[in-house]
């Protein structure tokens, strides 16, 4: 019996029929994901474009904004159009091409987000389009009325896992070549913290085994993922020594970075990725928040151990969501107010310690 025959089937025949009809009845696709794309967003969209092309379709990947340098190890990341205007290098601006691609699309595939607002400025352009939308996601509470077909599985590790399972159950596993398997693996690897979070199910490793059969260099991917630039290492040291706040009575910690601090260290997109995980290595710490001041909001990342549900904190206090142990959101207000809100929420969750 093959590996894929051991992977449980989770989609209803009715849903599979809807997805098949969606793909078969259109030829020109745009593939999208949320603003500030992470590894799962990049991996799932790159893989989806290649999957659609393997079926003879035209597929264009459109990002609201360019992924951070830390994801450059994912091959195919540059095979995209970026909607955000490039004011510093206007000759490289892809905004108009992205708008044209969306206006000409017959169908739109939406990966790794549960509501259109998570597209940032790109959302308005997507809303203008009359093209039907297929959602493939793993976040809680999808806004189903914004999509024509909804494939949402919050119990799964990553959008890339949802996508592979969908391909498998559609009968297209034979199309999963190295070029599709590698970005799918990257998405699963990054969204689980290299298989630390949300990855206890047997099926996760059966899927990994199947993807590895295609022959991509897993160890080299992990090495590339671990490489860091000097400015990132210095910023991390600054965060841990000067900015980390421990709240022992709630087994919690948080780190925050203001815009002046980010400027001081020449912060580029991706530089602070994963910093939220560092305090979890401290004995006795079970929940961590990381706050980063953006132009118009505070970016919030949350991590935890065991049964501590940071997805509830993200949903109730920071307009977000995610997995039980790995979630995120946004806060409209000052950095100080975001910190105070987190500290104020902690006593409500002491029962999980």
């Amino acid at each position: 019996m093959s590996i894929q025959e051991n992977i449980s089937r989770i989609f209803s025949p009715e849903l599979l029929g809807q997805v098949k009809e969606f793909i078969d009845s259109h030829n020109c696709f745009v593939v999208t994901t949320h603003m500030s794309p992470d590894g799962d967003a990049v991996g799932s969209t790159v893989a989806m474009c290649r999957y659609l092309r393997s079926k003879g379709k035209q597929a264009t990947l459109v990002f609201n904004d360019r992924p951070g340098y830390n994801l450059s190890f994912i091959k195919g990341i540059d095979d995209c159009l970026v909607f955000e205007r490039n004011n510093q290098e206007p000759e490289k601006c892809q905004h108009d091409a992205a708008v044209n691609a969306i206006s000409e699309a017959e169908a739109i595939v939406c990966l790794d987000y549960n509501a259109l607002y998570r597209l940032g400025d790109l959302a308005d352009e997507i809303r203008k389009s009359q093209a039907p939308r297929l959602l493939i996601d793993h976040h809680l509470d999808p806004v189903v009325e914004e999509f024509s077909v909804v494939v949402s599985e919050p119990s799964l590790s990553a959008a890339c896992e949802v996508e592979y399972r969908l391909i498998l159950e559609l009968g297209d596993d034979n199309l999963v070549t190295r070029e599709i398997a590698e970005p799918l693996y990257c998405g699963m690897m990054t969204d689980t913290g290299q298989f630390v979070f949300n990855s206890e199910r047997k099926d996760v490793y059966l899927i990994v085994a199947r993807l590895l059969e295609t022959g991509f260099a897993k160890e080299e991917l992990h090495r590339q993922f671990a490489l860091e630039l000097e400015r990132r290492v210095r910023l991390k040291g600054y965060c841990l020594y000067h900015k980390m706040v421990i709240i022992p009575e709630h087994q919690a910690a948080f780190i925050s970075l203001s815009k002046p601090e980010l400027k001081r260290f020449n912060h580029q997109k991706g530089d602070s990725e994963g910093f939220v995980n560092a305090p979890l290595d401290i004995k006795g710490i079970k929940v961590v928040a990381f706050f980063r001041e953006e132009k118009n909001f505070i970016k919030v990342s949350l991590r935890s151990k065991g049964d501590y549900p940071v997805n509830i904190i993200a949903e109730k206090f920071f307009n977000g969501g995610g997995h039980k142990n790995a979630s995120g959101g946004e806060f409209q207000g000052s950095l100080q107010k975001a910190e105070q809100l987190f500290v104020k929420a902690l006593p409500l969750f002491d029962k999980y310690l």
Side-chain angles (χ1 to χ4, degrees), residues 10 21 68 79 82 116 120 155 181 196 202 206-207 212 294 297 303 306 321 331 351:
I10 60 175
E21 172 65 19
D79 183 21
V82 178
L116 291 182
S155 64
V196 173
K202 177 183 72 173
L206 289 172
I207 292 170
L212 286 171
E294 300 288 345
F297 65 95
R303 297 292 185 272
F331 179 74
K351 60 186 177 182

PDB file of all heavy atoms in Angstrom, residues 10 21 68 79 82 116 120 155 181 196 202 206-207 212 294 297 303 306 321 331 351:
ATOM      1  N   ILE A  10     -10.681  13.584   3.923  1.00  0.00           N
ATOM      2  CA  ILE A  10     -11.423  14.494   4.803  1.00  0.00           C
ATOM      3  C   ILE A  10     -12.482  15.324   4.088  1.00  0.00           C
ATOM      4  O   ILE A  10     -13.315  15.944   4.737  1.00  0.00           O
ATOM      5  CB  ILE A  10     -10.459  15.441   5.545  1.00  0.00           C
ATOM      6  CG1 ILE A  10      -9.653  16.275   4.550  1.00  0.00           C
ATOM      7  CG2 ILE A  10      -9.543  14.667   6.486  1.00  0.00           C
ATOM      8  CD1 ILE A  10      -8.764  17.319   5.199  1.00  0.00           C
ATOM      9  N   GLU A  21     -15.237  21.404 -10.489  1.00  0.00           N
ATOM     10  CA  GLU A  21     -15.978  22.237 -11.430  1.00  0.00           C
ATOM     11  C   GLU A  21     -15.355  23.624 -11.521  1.00  0.00           C
ATOM     12  O   GLU A  21     -15.235  24.199 -12.610  1.00  0.00           O
ATOM     13  CB  GLU A  21     -17.436  22.344 -10.980  1.00  0.00           C
ATOM     14  CG  GLU A  21     -18.282  23.344 -11.766  1.00  0.00           C
ATOM     15  CD  GLU A  21     -18.482  22.969 -13.226  1.00  0.00           C
ATOM     16  OE1 GLU A  21     -18.278  21.779 -13.573  1.00  0.00           O
ATOM     17  OE2 GLU A  21     -18.854  23.866 -14.011  1.00  0.00           O
ATOM     18  N   GLY A  68       9.294  38.888   2.658  1.00  0.00           N
ATOM     19  CA  GLY A  68      10.576  39.262   3.221  1.00  0.00           C
ATOM     20  C   GLY A  68      11.720  38.426   2.672  1.00  0.00           C
ATOM     21  O   GLY A  68      11.516  37.328   2.128  1.00  0.00           O
ATOM     22  N   ASP A  79       8.334  34.621  -8.973  1.00  0.00           N
ATOM     23  CA  ASP A  79       7.397  34.404 -10.077  1.00  0.00           C
ATOM     24  C   ASP A  79       6.035  34.972  -9.681  1.00  0.00           C
ATOM     25  O   ASP A  79       5.060  34.253  -9.518  1.00  0.00           O
ATOM     26  CB  ASP A  79       7.299  32.910 -10.388  1.00  0.00           C
ATOM     27  CG  ASP A  79       6.392  32.636 -11.583  1.00  0.00           C
ATOM     28  OD1 ASP A  79       6.167  33.553 -12.385  1.00  0.00           O
ATOM     29  OD2 ASP A  79       5.901  31.490 -11.692  1.00  0.00           O
ATOM     30  N   VAL A  82       3.568  42.130  -7.798  1.00  0.00           N
ATOM     31  CA  VAL A  82       3.353  42.784  -6.509  1.00  0.00           C
ATOM     32  C   VAL A  82       2.449  43.995  -6.716  1.00  0.00           C
ATOM     33  O   VAL A  82       2.784  44.908  -7.475  1.00  0.00           O
ATOM     34  CB  VAL A  82       4.685  43.206  -5.863  1.00  0.00           C
ATOM     35  CG1 VAL A  82       4.419  43.926  -4.540  1.00  0.00           C
ATOM     36  CG2 VAL A  82       5.571  41.986  -5.639  1.00  0.00           C
ATOM     37  N   LEU A 116     -11.366  38.709   3.059  1.00  0.00           N
ATOM     38  CA  LEU A 116     -10.698  39.550   2.068  1.00  0.00           C
ATOM     39  C   LEU A 116      -9.915  40.705   2.682  1.00  0.00           C
ATOM     40  O   LEU A 116      -8.920  41.148   2.107  1.00  0.00           O
ATOM     41  CB  LEU A 116     -11.726  40.098   1.066  1.00  0.00           C
ATOM     42  CG  LEU A 116     -12.355  39.081   0.111  1.00  0.00           C
ATOM     43  CD1 LEU A 116     -13.313  39.778  -0.846  1.00  0.00           C
ATOM     44  CD2 LEU A 116     -11.293  38.326  -0.683  1.00  0.00           C
ATOM     45  N   GLY A 120      -5.081  43.340   2.570  1.00  0.00           N
ATOM     46  CA  GLY A 120      -4.607  44.713   2.574  1.00  0.00           C
ATOM     47  C   GLY A 120      -5.260  45.509   1.462  1.00  0.00           C
ATOM     48  O   GLY A 120      -6.440  45.322   1.131  1.00  0.00           O
ATOM     49  N   SER A 155      -8.237  22.417  11.542  1.00  0.00           N
ATOM     50  CA  SER A 155      -7.506  21.408  12.306  1.00  0.00           C
ATOM     51  C   SER A 155      -6.164  21.057  11.668  1.00  0.00           C
ATOM     52  O   SER A 155      -5.321  20.407  12.311  1.00  0.00           O
ATOM     53  CB  SER A 155      -8.346  20.137  12.431  1.00  0.00           C
ATOM     54  OG  SER A 155      -8.564  19.548  11.160  1.00  0.00           O
ATOM     55  N   ALA A 181       5.972  19.841  -4.893  1.00  0.00           N
ATOM     56  CA  ALA A 181       6.193  19.297  -3.549  1.00  0.00           C
ATOM     57  C   ALA A 181       7.068  20.202  -2.693  1.00  0.00           C
ATOM     58  O   ALA A 181       6.819  20.381  -1.492  1.00  0.00           O
ATOM     59  CB  ALA A 181       6.821  17.905  -3.650  1.00  0.00           C
ATOM     60  N   VAL A 196       7.320  21.786  15.081  1.00  0.00           N
ATOM     61  CA  VAL A 196       7.198  21.848  16.534  1.00  0.00           C
ATOM     62  C   VAL A 196       5.745  22.085  16.934  1.00  0.00           C
ATOM     63  O   VAL A 196       5.232  21.451  17.852  1.00  0.00           O
ATOM     64  CB  VAL A 196       8.101  22.959  17.111  1.00  0.00           C
ATOM     65  CG1 VAL A 196       7.846  23.130  18.610  1.00  0.00           C
ATOM     66  CG2 VAL A 196       9.568  22.644  16.850  1.00  0.00           C
ATOM     67  N   LYS A 202      -0.368  11.895  12.671  1.00  0.00           N
ATOM     68  CA  LYS A 202       0.374  10.987  11.797  1.00  0.00           C
ATOM     69  C   LYS A 202       0.330  11.438  10.341  1.00  0.00           C
ATOM     70  O   LYS A 202       1.333  11.342   9.608  1.00  0.00           O
ATOM     71  CB  LYS A 202      -0.204   9.577  11.928  1.00  0.00           C
ATOM     72  CG  LYS A 202       0.450   8.545  11.009  1.00  0.00           C
ATOM     73  CD  LYS A 202      -0.223   7.191  11.139  1.00  0.00           C
ATOM     74  CE  LYS A 202      -1.609   7.198  10.494  1.00  0.00           C
ATOM     75  NZ  LYS A 202      -2.208   5.848  10.457  1.00  0.00           N
ATOM     76  N   LEU A 206       3.038  11.482   7.021  1.00  0.00           N
ATOM     77  CA  LEU A 206       2.763  10.715   5.804  1.00  0.00           C
ATOM     78  C   LEU A 206       2.814  11.632   4.581  1.00  0.00           C
ATOM     79  O   LEU A 206       3.346  11.261   3.529  1.00  0.00           O
ATOM     80  CB  LEU A 206       1.396  10.042   5.899  1.00  0.00           C
ATOM     81  CG  LEU A 206       1.284   8.881   6.886  1.00  0.00           C
ATOM     82  CD1 LEU A 206      -0.168   8.438   7.028  1.00  0.00           C
ATOM     83  CD2 LEU A 206       2.152   7.707   6.443  1.00  0.00           C
ATOM     84  N   ILE A 207       2.287  12.838   4.736  1.00  0.00           N
ATOM     85  CA  ILE A 207       2.332  13.808   3.636  1.00  0.00           C
ATOM     86  C   ILE A 207       3.777  14.234   3.381  1.00  0.00           C
ATOM     87  O   ILE A 207       4.220  14.308   2.230  1.00  0.00           O
ATOM     88  CB  ILE A 207       1.434  15.021   3.951  1.00  0.00           C
ATOM     89  CG1 ILE A 207      -0.035  14.593   3.939  1.00  0.00           C
ATOM     90  CG2 ILE A 207       1.668  16.148   2.936  1.00  0.00           C
ATOM     91  CD1 ILE A 207      -0.991  15.644   4.459  1.00  0.00           C
ATOM     92  N   LEU A 212       8.628  14.108   0.039  1.00  0.00           N
ATOM     93  CA  LEU A 212      10.058  13.805  -0.062  1.00  0.00           C
ATOM     94  C   LEU A 212      10.351  12.799  -1.170  1.00  0.00           C
ATOM     95  O   LEU A 212      11.473  12.756  -1.699  1.00  0.00           O
ATOM     96  CB  LEU A 212      10.578  13.270   1.276  1.00  0.00           C
ATOM     97  CG  LEU A 212      10.751  14.301   2.397  1.00  0.00           C
ATOM     98  CD1 LEU A 212      11.047  13.600   3.714  1.00  0.00           C
ATOM     99  CD2 LEU A 212      11.858  15.286   2.052  1.00  0.00           C
ATOM    100  N   GLU A 294       3.841  49.107  13.136  1.00  0.00           N
ATOM    101  CA  GLU A 294       3.792  49.349  11.699  1.00  0.00           C
ATOM    102  C   GLU A 294       3.298  50.773  11.442  1.00  0.00           C
ATOM    103  O   GLU A 294       3.087  51.548  12.377  1.00  0.00           O
ATOM    104  CB  GLU A 294       2.878  48.323  11.025  1.00  0.00           C
ATOM    105  CG  GLU A 294       3.325  46.878  11.203  1.00  0.00           C
ATOM    106  CD  GLU A 294       4.562  46.530  10.407  1.00  0.00           C
ATOM    107  OE1 GLU A 294       4.918  47.312   9.498  1.00  0.00           O
ATOM    108  OE2 GLU A 294       5.186  45.494  10.678  1.00  0.00           O
ATOM    109  N   PHE A 297      -0.769  50.472  12.357  1.00  0.00           N
ATOM    110  CA  PHE A 297      -1.272  49.500  13.326  1.00  0.00           C
ATOM    111  C   PHE A 297      -0.105  48.821  14.019  1.00  0.00           C
ATOM    112  O   PHE A 297       1.056  49.005  13.649  1.00  0.00           O
ATOM    113  CB  PHE A 297      -2.158  48.461  12.630  1.00  0.00           C
ATOM    114  CG  PHE A 297      -1.429  47.597  11.632  1.00  0.00           C
ATOM    115  CD1 PHE A 297      -0.921  46.352  12.010  1.00  0.00           C
ATOM    116  CD2 PHE A 297      -1.243  48.007  10.312  1.00  0.00           C
ATOM    117  CE1 PHE A 297      -0.246  45.554  11.113  1.00  0.00           C
ATOM    118  CE2 PHE A 297      -0.565  47.215   9.403  1.00  0.00           C
ATOM    119  CZ  PHE A 297      -0.070  45.988   9.801  1.00  0.00           C
ATOM    120  N   ARG A 303       2.466  33.121  20.780  1.00  0.00           N
ATOM    121  CA  ARG A 303       2.854  31.716  20.817  1.00  0.00           C
ATOM    122  C   ARG A 303       2.632  31.174  22.226  1.00  0.00           C
ATOM    123  O   ARG A 303       2.672  31.921  23.209  1.00  0.00           O
ATOM    124  CB  ARG A 303       4.328  31.538  20.438  1.00  0.00           C
ATOM    125  CG  ARG A 303       4.676  31.955  19.027  1.00  0.00           C
ATOM    126  CD  ARG A 303       4.057  31.064  17.978  1.00  0.00           C
ATOM    127  NE  ARG A 303       4.510  31.416  16.641  1.00  0.00           N
ATOM    128  CZ  ARG A 303       3.922  32.327  15.866  1.00  0.00           C
ATOM    129  NH1 ARG A 303       2.856  32.983  16.304  1.00  0.00           N
ATOM    130  NH2 ARG A 303       4.391  32.591  14.664  1.00  0.00           N
ATOM    131  N   GLY A 306       1.513  23.758  25.205  1.00  0.00           N
ATOM    132  CA  GLY A 306       0.467  22.925  25.793  1.00  0.00           C
ATOM    133  C   GLY A 306      -0.925  23.339  25.385  1.00  0.00           C
ATOM    134  O   GLY A 306      -1.206  23.598  24.211  1.00  0.00           O
ATOM    135  N   GLY A 321      -6.552  35.624  14.891  1.00  0.00           N
ATOM    136  CA  GLY A 321      -6.873  34.219  15.104  1.00  0.00           C
ATOM    137  C   GLY A 321      -5.708  33.346  14.710  1.00  0.00           C
ATOM    138  O   GLY A 321      -4.582  33.817  14.576  1.00  0.00           O
ATOM    139  N   PHE A 331      -3.570  45.435  16.120  1.00  0.00           N
ATOM    140  CA  PHE A 331      -4.137  46.325  17.135  1.00  0.00           C
ATOM    141  C   PHE A 331      -4.103  47.746  16.604  1.00  0.00           C
ATOM    142  O   PHE A 331      -3.056  48.224  16.148  1.00  0.00           O
ATOM    143  CB  PHE A 331      -3.348  46.221  18.441  1.00  0.00           C
ATOM    144  CG  PHE A 331      -3.852  47.121  19.533  1.00  0.00           C
ATOM    145  CD1 PHE A 331      -5.033  46.829  20.207  1.00  0.00           C
ATOM    146  CD2 PHE A 331      -3.152  48.274  19.882  1.00  0.00           C
ATOM    147  CE1 PHE A 331      -5.504  47.657  21.210  1.00  0.00           C
ATOM    148  CE2 PHE A 331      -3.613  49.100  20.888  1.00  0.00           C
ATOM    149  CZ  PHE A 331      -4.795  48.801  21.550  1.00  0.00           C
ATOM    150  N   LYS A 351      -6.084  29.747  34.034  1.00  0.00           N
ATOM    151  CA  LYS A 351      -6.591  28.389  34.223  1.00  0.00           C
ATOM    152  C   LYS A 351      -5.912  27.388  33.282  1.00  0.00           C
ATOM    153  O   LYS A 351      -5.991  26.162  33.498  1.00  0.00           O
ATOM    154  CB  LYS A 351      -8.097  28.345  34.014  1.00  0.00           C
ATOM    155  CG  LYS A 351      -8.554  28.782  32.627  1.00  0.00           C
ATOM    156  CD  LYS A 351     -10.068  28.843  32.540  1.00  0.00           C
ATOM    157  CE  LYS A 351     -10.538  29.346  31.178  1.00  0.00           C
ATOM    158  NZ  LYS A 351     -12.012  29.456  31.117  1.00  0.00           N
TER     159      LYS A 351
END
